[in-house]
Amino acid sequence: MIEIRWHGRGGHGGFTAARLLGLAASVYSDNYAQAFPSFGPERRGAPVLGFTRIDKNPINDHSQVYSCDYVIVLDESLLDTIDVTKGIKDGGVLIINSKKPARDFNIQKDITVHTFDGTQLALDVLGVPITNTVMLGATVAITNVVSIDSIYKAIDDFMSEELREKNKKAVEAAYNSIKGVTN
Amino acid sequence: MSAIELRNENKKFLSGDEAVAEGVKLCRPDVIAAYPITPQTVIVEKLSEFVASKEMDCQYLHVESEHSAMAASMGASMMGSRTFTATSSQGLLYMCEMLHYVSGSRFPIVMVNANRTVAAPWNIFGDHRDSLSQRDSGWMQVYVENGQEALDMVIQSYKIAENQSVSTPIMINLDGFVLTHTYELVSIPEQNQVDEFLPPYSTTNKFDFENPKSLCFTASPEWQTEFRYQQYEAMENAKKVIQEVDKEFSQVFGRTYGGMVEEYHCSDADYILVAMGSVAGTAKIVVDKLRKQGKKVGLVKLRFYRPFPKEYFKKLGKKAKAVGVIDRDISFGYEGAVYSDVKAALFSQGADVKTINFIAGISGRDITKEFLAEMYSQLEAIGNGDKVEEIQFTGLRWK
């Protein structure tokens, strides 16, 4: 089972990214999935979590997520107050939305740290600094957890018509930019 | 189109609340009367959207309180309407008076209760204190493990409740947040199959100009005992109907839940946990892990709390060395209510079995796999003759 944690602030759409990935992995790929938020009242601007579980087999586990394969951080200011590396498995991946290079975060753990300037890309493509779909595209490019096509299908299913095309563009731009770098 | 393709087409990624709403839509209720409360609100929001967009042909009543929701549901059922409502926690307590009116008058209303603890301390998170406090309200109570079971049990519940030998309302209990707000892959049954499985509600227990009668009347001491006996008998009848409906459901939809209980690796198990709701899923993973280590452990997912599977536990008491019961609540001054019932049934034929009550998952506190493994090791210890505390608060900060 692959377990993924999304760090954001209320309003960033971190849980939407968690749901989109779950939808892509289950309905639009051949897996089972779960997605859930950090439970409780929703507050704009407050640190919030989203979780996605993906497995080939039905997921019976209804306890919380304590260890993760991948962690995505939509807002680097969260690192000032939260240990975003908590529970990342050895060999796991941390992806931070930041202009800074990964080494600047000086993370001393047996994990791979990637940074991606999701905010600039979101401003360029979407016109707003909402980075959830951009960071989802980056995550898929880095981890290959699902196919990028399944993400496009999930967006078509999930979003209103006016949001669909530009969010697919945002995902694609992020995906291509990373694949271009790493290929 | 092949069956597999069809199944794929009908899969959706839904929260537990959304899965319930899909299930309700498929059952074609005539009336929904509801008042929103976290974590149930999404159910009635979705249903009101379905009614507004005419996806559902149903009268939706926005009422001013949960007491009114149940009163209006009763009025609708008195007219022979298939009726749905949903609530949680304080809302369930607020409709308490009407719960007894509905069950005593034998109206087969289906209600989903999103399990949430009860104030004080005020808290919106999940445990079973709300529904367990309504044990004697005369409603059937079933607890589900995931979104698929929630959807399927809405369909099964109408069939069980509306059976003439039962004619009793039913409360489907869905763990707050852990199920209501978790998205999972859910298979949506075909409308035509549901229509065939669940024909329109038909009853003589209704107001009718052709056949005028009084309903919800007063009974004298001369007759009250007989009314209560009929309620008792209906719940006993329900045990059989629950099994039959699950069997028929599996023939049509390909999924079975075991009726009153679901057993997981129990046939040769020495150490058995009994659990209701979503934690049963997590416990299955722990059973798998311990089985790999050669431990003879099993799980009983207690699905129906009322009617209670007394006969099942009588037999279990003769097989197991130790049985632990997880209660997501406690009856102060005694022990967990589920534990009391399980224990009474286990020992009713003089079985030699050890028992422990685990008070866990109180107001949303996570029941982790580590906690569950520890419960099994406590059962093994008591089974080996060690002295073990009978009532244990799992993960308690201090003693």
Side-chain angles (χ1 to χ4, degrees):
Chain A
M1 179 152 66
I2 296 169
E3 295 179 289
I4 299 148
R5 188 173 69 219
W6 301 80
H7 287 269
R9 294 185 183 275
H12 280 161
F15 180 51
T16 296
R19 271 178 72 183
L20 278 170
L21 181 57
L23 176 62
S26 58
V27 175
Y28 297 107
S29 308
D30 198 16
N31 298 299
Y32 291 85
Q34 265 183 7
F36 53 93
S38 44
F39 298 135
E42 292 147 30
R43 286 155 299 178
R44 218 168 170 80
V48 289
L49 300 173
F51 302 92
T52 313
R53 281 188 170 120
I54 301 171
D55 198 7
K56 280 280 164 214
N57 298 307
I59 300 171
N60 289 324
D61 197 338
H62 278 105
S63 64
Q64 300 291 301
V65 170
Y66 294 97
S67 66
C68 310
D69 298 272
Y70 313 131
V71 169
I72 299 102
V73 183
L74 300 184
D75 178 351
E76 64 182 307
S77 76
L78 288 166
L79 273 76
D80 298 342
T81 51
I82 294 169
D83 176 12
V84 297
T85 66
K86 194 177 170 189
I88 305 185
K89 294 174 191 169
D90 284 351
V93 176
L94 171 66
I95 305 169
I96 305 166
N97 171 23
S98 174
K99 284 182 196 301
K100 291 190 271 187
R103 63 176 178 277
D104 284 17
F105 289 94
N106 193 29
I107 287 165
Q108 303 292 328
K109 284 198 176 177
D110 184 16
I111 59 174
T112 312
V113 183
H114 294 264
T115 54
F116 183 74
D117 188 1
T119 304
Q120 189 58 54
L121 186 65
L123 284 170
D124 292 346
V125 181
L126 300 171
V128 286
I130 305 289
T131 59
N132 58 348
T133 47
V134 167
M135 293 305 287
L136 179 59
T139 301
V140 171
I142 290 164
T143 64
N144 296 305
V145 63
V146 292
S147 74
I148 197 68
D149 282 340
S150 69
I151 298 287
Y152 298 148
K153 285 178 189 162
I155 288 174
D156 279 338
D157 180 339
F158 186 94
M159 290 191 177
S160 66
E161 229 163 284
E162 54 165 318
L163 291 176
R164 262 178 226 164
E165 292 313 316
K166 52 184 181 181
N167 275 286
K168 281 195 285 184
K169 258 186 208 145
V171 167
E172 189 183 19
Y175 182 84
N176 286 344
S177 132
I178 287 175
K179 285 290 182 190
V181 170
T182 54
N183 277 348
Chain B
M1 194 184 286
S2 79
I4 290 164
E5 277 172 353
L6 192 69
R7 215 183 290 160
N8 280 340
E9 246 180 44
N10 291 315
K11 279 187 174 165
K12 289 187 181 177
F13 195 59
L14 299 178
S15 71
D17 275 349
E18 291 173 349
V20 165
E22 291 284 343
V24 173
K25 185 170 85 168
L26 287 165
C27 292
R28 301 185 189 276
D30 304 294
V31 177
I32 296 167
Y35 190 81
I37 180 168
T38 301
Q40 166 280 118
T41 303
V42 173
I43 299 175
V44 296
E45 271 177 8
K46 283 278 157 195
L47 288 170
S48 65
E49 282 169 24
F50 289 149
V51 174
S53 66
K54 307 226 186 311
E55 278 179 79
M56 281 180 81
D57 179 17
C58 171
Q59 179 148 12
Y60 190 104
L61 302 171
H62 296 271
V63 289
E64 72 279 21
S65 76
E66 287 87 356
H67 189 280
S68 305
M70 192 47 71
S73 297
M74 185 170 97
S77 199
M78 285 167 100
M79 298 305 295
S81 300
R82 180 170 288 162
T83 306
F84 178 81
T85 190
T87 192
S88 179
S89 184
Q90 311 297 133
L92 181 70
L93 299 190
Y94 194 25
M95 62 170 62
C96 170
E97 180 190 11
M98 297 313 298
L99 295 179
H100 291 260
Y101 253 104
V102 166
S103 61
S105 310
R106 310 293 299 280
F107 296 124
I109 294 168
V110 173
M111 170 163 69
V112 168
N113 179 58
N115 283 115
R116 164 181 152 182
T117 197
V118 167
W122 184 86
N123 177 312
I124 59 169
F125 296 94
D127 67 32
H128 294 162
R129 188 163 189 79
D130 54 358
S131 52
L132 291 179
S133 78
Q134 300 309 309
R135 181 190 69 185
D136 296 335
S137 64
W139 284 57
M140 292 183 276
Q141 287 195 15
V142 61
Y143 292 75
V144 302
E145 182 187 323
N146 53 43
Q148 184 74 61
E149 190 178 357
L151 185 157
D152 290 345
M153 279 318 292
V154 175
I155 301 167
Q156 285 201 21
S157 288
Y158 277 109
K159 186 112 171 161
I160 295 163
E162 292 173 2
N163 183 295
Q164 285 192 5
S165 75
V166 179
S167 206
T168 294
I170 182 164
M171 185 191 300
I172 302 166
N173 290 283
L174 179 72
D175 283 324
F177 291 102
V178 169
L179 295 181
T180 58
H181 286 59
T182 294
Y183 287 73
E184 296 179 297
L185 191 63
V186 176
S187 175
I188 314 290
E190 291 290 318
Q191 182 69 61
N192 60 356
Q193 285 184 308
V194 177
D195 289 344
E196 208 170 307
F197 179 79
L198 184 70
Y201 175 43
S202 155
T203 181
T204 54
N205 186 28
K206 65 171 182 179
F207 286 132
D208 183 355
F209 284 121
E210 303 303 315
N211 183 21
K213 64 172 115 173
S214 272
L215 296 173
C216 311
F217 37 72
T218 305
S220 64
E222 200 183 343
W223 281 105
Q224 190 83 342
T225 303
E226 282 69 22
F227 279 106
R228 292 300 185 226
Y229 177 76
Q230 287 183 52
Q231 279 183 269
Y232 163 78
E233 198 181 33
M235 279 278 197
E236 291 301 310
N237 294 342
K239 292 178 181 175
K240 189 165 161 265
V241 174
I242 287 162
Q243 299 300 133
E244 287 167 358
V245 167
D246 186 62
K247 198 173 167 204
E248 193 185 332
F249 187 89
S250 77
Q251 285 159 357
V252 179
F253 302 101
R255 288 183 295 276
T256 177
Y257 295 100
M260 301 282 283
V261 297
E262 180 197 328
E263 288 191 310
Y264 193 72
H265 291 294
C266 285
S267 59
D268 67 338
D270 292 330
Y271 308 109
I272 290 176
L273 267 181
V274 179
M276 301 199 300
S278 58
V279 69
T282 316
K284 286 174 185 172
I285 297 167
V286 176
V287 168
D288 288 344
K289 198 175 158 197
L290 295 175
R291 281 266 163 188
K292 276 185 194 151
Q293 296 167 15
K295 309 257 187 207
K296 289 168 93 174
V297 296
L299 170 78
V300 173
K301 178 171 125 189
L302 178 56
R303 300 186 70 245
F304 275 84
Y305 178 58
R306 287 293 179 273
F308 187 77
K310 183 167 87 177
E311 300 74 12
Y312 172 80
F313 284 109
K314 268 188 194 176
K315 285 187 201 147
L316 192 76
K318 304 216 151 183
K319 292 198 308 191
K321 282 187 189 165
V323 173
V325 178
I326 299 175
D327 264 282
R328 294 191 63 181
D329 182 33
I330 185 162
S331 176
F332 302 122
Y334 194 21
E335 59 196 9
V338 183
Y339 179 61
S340 294
D341 286 355
V342 170
K343 205 168 55 165
L346 282 175
F347 289 124
S348 62
Q349 290 187 340
D352 180 25
V353 57
K354 306 284 185 224
T355 59
I356 309 175
N357 191 191
F358 299 104
I359 309 299
I362 299 299
S363 23
R365 188 176 290 185
D366 198 20
I367 307 179
T368 64
K369 295 188 276 292
E370 289 72 24
F371 281 156
L372 291 161
E374 174 59 22
M375 291 175 194
Y376 279 112
S377 77
Q378 291 282 310
L379 289 174
E380 205 176 335
I382 202 173
N384 290 332
D386 294 357
K387 239 179 129 61
V388 168
E389 252 183 274
E390 188 187 11
I391 314 287
Q392 302 187 12
F393 278 65
T394 302
L396 189 67
R397 279 199 179 78
W398 68 84
K399 276 201 183 178

